[in-house]
Amino acid sequence: MSRPRVALLVTDRRLMPAWTGNRVRILGVVRALRAQGLRVVVIGAQDPSLHDVRPLVDGVIAVRARPFQGGPIAAFDPRPFRRAVDRVARRFEPEVAIAEYAWLAPALSGLPRGTRRWVDCHDVLHERCARFQAAGLDPWTVCTLEEEVERLRTADVLIVSQHRDEELLGSLLPHREVVTLLPEIPLPDGYRPAAAGGRTVLAVGSAQPGNEMVREFARVGWPRVLSRVPDARLRVIGAVGEGLAGLEGVDAPGDVDDLAGEYARAAAVVCPVAVGSGVKVKLLEALRLGRPTVATPLASEGLPRATLAWAEAESVAGCADAVAGLLLAPASAAAHGRAAFAFGERHLSATAASACLRPLLESPSATRASRVRGLPVASASVIVPATSWSDPLRACIESLQAQRVEQPVEIVVVMNGADPPAERTLPGVSVVHEPRRGPAAARNAGVRASSGDVLAFVDSDCVARPGWLASGLATMRTGAPGGIVAGAIVRPDAGRNPVSLYDSVTYLQQERYVNGPGAFVTANLLVHRRTFERVGPFDASFEEAAFEDWEWALRARRAGLPITYEAAAAVEHPCMTTLDELRQKAERLARGRLVMHRKLGEDAEALTLTESVWSHARRALREERVARGDRLRVAGVGSLVGFWAWSTDREQRRLHDRADRRG
């Protein structure tokens, strides 16, 4: 009689009640394994809820150990779980062992070679950490790229929850098989989606920082819906609704026993997420149950695209308008609901989960297939314009040399100035000379001297954070073909004095540029070479670092090229600290603004001194990121910037008028 096939599942998470996203996912993995004929034994942290899992699995082993409770994953001790895994493995000789989350991966390190080791990652932890920190939010998990990669090397197979994570981890760990497994979302017995009706809109979420946009929708977006649909009601389920029940047209009952019933009765579902990682199970639940749904791009990140399966809106206002549109157009809402249900049947069913796991169990030696959307990204060139060898440039190069990706990477430093640079030999670094003044000409020279499929531009005073290049390349792979990735620019020393604070909230606002005018700065930019060739080189008539990147962005936008902001692809850029530095930048930007307008054939309206001073000062007065006690001082700095900009503008106009008269 043959031994039964056994799978061990190791987790320190609570699994019951099964309504949070990670619990839904883990129990979906259990069902999929059992559907393949494996007996599943759970090794879990000792908790009263562990008893409730027994009817769903074939065995439960409780471990006396502290679960991971946030903070640095380096401080988590997985040894009690490893001892339990080793003991249980000797008894059952498991075919496969699965660790839930990267911090538990070391628990699998002592298994015999015959047992395949899987890690169900849920999130790419270092990227989640970077995104939340860039948004000024608590990431809960503190993890570096190196710490995560070290733990994931334990595994033979990495299971991720969305396709973008598959590409990212595949580039970091090219010798591991990486597979996307969307969570299985079970349907209630006999469930068939009803046609959308009524006026109730559902939003679901826990009280974690990534769900703050749900609260913003209730406060700001919902009144916009009510202005068009006065009898609509918003039901906010979960702890995210705390404190919202007093708002007009809003119900916030907290946790409920029948979440599937709440979805089924909703005329529409809204899933607004502004920061996060992994997959958003609340969106998947709405789709599986066939509800007309509105979601932000980050909520649907990494999912297979499907026409009409959900409506996409980037802002709170956009979500509100899309929700109102569904409520006022029942036929359109019904079409969205049917498409959502079809998406769920194809991607979120038990059949889909089993189809994903079956090849892993049948072909343990299978290797990861390379799947790249859009244009090839077989190599990358990082281009750094500079004017001299300096300590910041050396720090920049060191941070670039420390990047870890599968592709070959070359670093091209372009020395910009009349005199050739002093000879320097650095491993992996090419140095070229561009005598024509300005970063536009320097970047063009770097492109000509480079050979990579992807061109990455970084300023010489920036330091690339670990994972910068891997995150940027992953976003390029999974984004629209020919797309452009504008990475985050972090200002680590923003609070040193009023000058640095003004700089930090005024300049290099990459996310605002991308989501507002559809522009970006080249302090942190990735673009495919073919895309760069399509748009054309930077305009070298911009002889200073001022508006040359905005002009290129304008051409890219006119060509219809998509631009994506990626918080995890982050570089650090120092803030200015002296008024002299700030004056030079204000004057440079004023000159660049006039060059931009003349290139476009536009008449740049001359501001009065009062208009210029006020326009710069009011940024600080209205900026929520500046503490109230600092706003007047920062506004004073802005007033000086306004004066310098006005003075330079006036002088440049005079010089231009004189040149015209001579001509």
Side-chain angles (χ1 to χ4, degrees):
M1 184 175 179
S2 61
R3 293 179 62 89
R5 301 172 66 199
V6 174
L8 301 184
L9 189 142
V10 190
T11 181
D12 63 338
R13 304 293 89 189
R14 292 192 64 176
L15 299 181
M16 301 294 284
W19 70 273
T20 62
N22 61 345
R23 300 175 194 176
V24 169
R25 176 173 181 78
I26 294 171
L27 293 176
V29 171
V30 168
R31 287 190 295 271
L33 289 169
R34 297 186 84 193
Q36 294 301 306
L38 279 79
R39 296 184 180 181
V40 178
V41 176
V42 171
I43 299 174
Q46 196 168 47
D47 184 277
S49 68
L50 201 58
H51 175 78
D52 299 329
V53 183
R54 292 183 183 277
L56 308 177
V57 298
D58 300 282
V60 172
I61 308 294
V63 181
R64 290 182 175 271
R66 290 175 60 86
F68 179 65
Q69 296 176 327
I73 68 166
F76 176 69
D77 183 5
R79 288 176 296 179
F81 292 93
R82 175 175 173 171
R83 288 191 289 269
V85 168
D86 293 347
R87 184 175 65 254
V88 176
R90 287 194 295 270
R91 176 182 173 189
F92 289 106
E93 298 182 12
E95 184 174 318
V96 62
I98 307 172
E100 296 294 335
Y101 288 96
W103 57 75
L104 270 177
L108 308 183
S109 59
L111 288 168
R113 296 180 64 87
T115 299
R116 277 165 277 163
R117 294 168 291 181
W118 298 0
V119 176
D120 186 5
C121 296
H122 293 257
D123 290 297
V124 179
L125 297 181
H126 76 269
E127 183 173 66
R128 171 190 168 86
C129 185
R131 287 184 175 185
F132 275 74
Q133 288 176 339
L137 299 173
D138 178 8
W140 186 71
T141 307
V142 179
C143 176
T144 67
L145 180 149
E146 291 81 6
E147 290 169 342
E148 185 164 20
V149 167
E150 178 187 359
R151 284 156 179 77
L152 294 182
R153 284 198 181 102
T154 302
D156 304 307
V157 175
L158 304 176
I159 301 175
V160 296
S161 60
Q162 47 125 307
H163 293 292
R164 186 183 176 282
D165 290 354
E166 178 181 342
E167 296 294 342
L168 177 54
L169 289 182
S171 68
L172 293 172
L173 294 149
H175 302 298
R176 302 295 187 274
E177 187 168 5
V178 188
V179 177
T180 297
L181 172 65
L182 292 175
E184 181 215 332
I185 310 294
L187 290 176
D189 292 340
Y191 180 84
R192 296 298 302 174
R199 290 287 195 265
T200 299
V201 177
L202 191 68
V204 180
S206 60
Q208 59 108 339
N211 287 330
E212 185 58 33
M213 198 174 181
V214 175
R215 299 175 63 82
E216 185 182 357
F217 177 83
R219 295 192 183 102
V220 179
W222 191 244
R224 191 179 178 102
V225 176
L226 292 178
S227 68
R228 297 176 59 187
V229 192
D231 59 338
R233 301 291 299 182
L234 175 65
R235 281 181 66 79
V236 183
I237 304 299
V240 72
E242 185 177 348
L244 300 178
L247 300 177
E248 181 182 1
V250 176
D251 302 320
D255 297 340
V256 296
D257 293 330
D258 183 17
L259 185 57
E262 295 282 349
Y263 279 115
R265 292 187 290 272
V269 177
V270 62
C271 185
V273 177
V275 60
S277 60
V279 72
K280 313 306 177 290
V281 171
K282 56 191 174 185
L283 170 60
L284 301 186
E285 289 173 335
L287 299 176
R288 185 71 177 107
L289 292 163
R291 308 323 299 155
T293 303
V294 176
T296 54
L298 190 61
S300 60
E301 181 184 57
L303 295 183
R305 307 309 295 180
T307 304
L308 286 180
W310 62 87
E312 197 164 275
E314 293 190 358
S315 64
V316 165
C319 288
D321 292 342
V323 166
L326 290 175
L327 295 179
L328 294 172
S332 175
H336 276 283
R338 290 191 296 271
F341 189 73
F343 178 94
E345 286 285 278
R346 181 177 181 183
H347 298 290
L348 308 174
S349 64
T351 301
S354 292
C356 177
L357 292 186
R358 188 180 304 117
L360 299 179
L361 295 168
E362 294 175 350
S363 305
S365 61
T367 58
R368 177 180 178 268
S370 175
R371 294 193 295 272
V372 178
R373 292 182 54 192
L375 299 168
V377 290
S379 59
S381 299
V382 185
I383 297 168
V384 186
T387 57
S388 65
W389 292 103
S390 62
D391 289 341
L393 175 58
R394 282 188 283 271
C396 175
I397 292 172
E398 289 173 1
S399 73
L400 299 176
Q401 291 172 326
Q403 300 295 312
R404 296 290 178 262
V405 294
E406 178 182 5
Q407 297 83 356
V409 178
E410 64 175 351
I411 301 170
V412 180
V413 175
V414 184
M415 284 298 174
N416 189 205
D419 298 323
E423 289 291 333
R424 294 292 175 101
T425 302
L426 296 172
V429 179
S430 301
V431 181
V432 298
H433 176 227
E434 172 52 56
R436 186 169 182 178
R437 181 179 177 224
R443 293 189 190 104
N444 292 339
V447 172
R448 292 192 299 270
S450 66
S451 59
D453 295 319
V454 173
L455 304 171
F457 298 99
V458 176
D459 282 356
S460 61
D461 52 356
C462 290
V463 170
R465 286 186 168 179
W468 161 72
L469 188 55
S471 295
L473 292 176
T475 301
M476 292 193 75
R477 284 195 191 94
T478 56
I484 297 165
V485 176
I489 301 174
V490 180
R491 316 304 299 278
D493 50 357
R496 291 181 61 181
N497 59 27
V499 171
S500 61
L501 188 53
Y502 179 85
D503 179 11
S504 72
V505 299
T506 304
Y507 302 123
L508 304 180
Q509 304 296 298
Q510 193 83 298
E511 184 174 14
R512 289 186 179 181
Y513 300 156
V514 172
N515 295 331
F520 44 76
V521 293
T522 41
N524 186 3
L525 185 73
L526 289 87
V527 59
H528 199 281
R529 181 178 294 274
R530 293 184 193 173
T531 299
F532 184 86
E533 292 170 349
R534 176 180 172 187
V535 177
F538 292 96
D539 186 344
S541 65
F542 291 86
E543 295 185 344
E544 299 180 279
F547 282 90
E548 83 289 351
D549 38 17
W550 279 58
E551 189 276 335
W552 198 90
L554 175 62
R555 281 186 275 145
R557 195 163 65 248
R558 287 175 173 173
L561 294 167
I563 303 167
T564 302
Y565 172 76
E566 179 49 66
V571 302
E572 296 181 359
H573 191 296
C575 289
M576 293 175 282
T577 58
T578 68
L579 288 174
D580 187 57
E581 291 176 300
L582 196 59
R583 176 184 57 78
Q584 292 180 42
K585 179 156 189 170
E587 293 173 351
R588 188 173 71 245
L589 291 177
R591 291 190 292 266
R593 174 174 173 267
L594 289 176
V595 175
M596 179 78 164
H597 282 291
R598 287 168 189 153
K599 177 178 174 60
L600 298 176
E602 301 173 349
D603 291 328
E605 182 180 354
L607 297 177
T608 67
L609 175 59
T610 302
E611 289 171 333
S612 183
V613 168
W614 173 239
S615 68
H616 287 80
R618 68 181 175 185
R619 293 180 186 176
L621 295 173
R622 296 179 177 179
E623 179 56 66
E624 294 181 356
R625 291 175 295 172
V626 178
R628 290 186 179 275
D630 291 327
R631 288 185 184 178
L632 286 179
R633 289 187 296 161
V634 177
V637 174
S639 299
L640 286 173
V641 172
F643 170 75
W644 293 325
W646 169 81
S647 179
T648 303
D649 180 85
R650 184 177 64 167
E651 180 61 25
Q652 290 297 304
R653 288 175 188 276
R654 287 175 179 170
L655 293 173
H656 189 263
D657 290 343
R658 289 174 192 164
D660 286 346
R661 285 195 295 271
R662 290 194 206 101

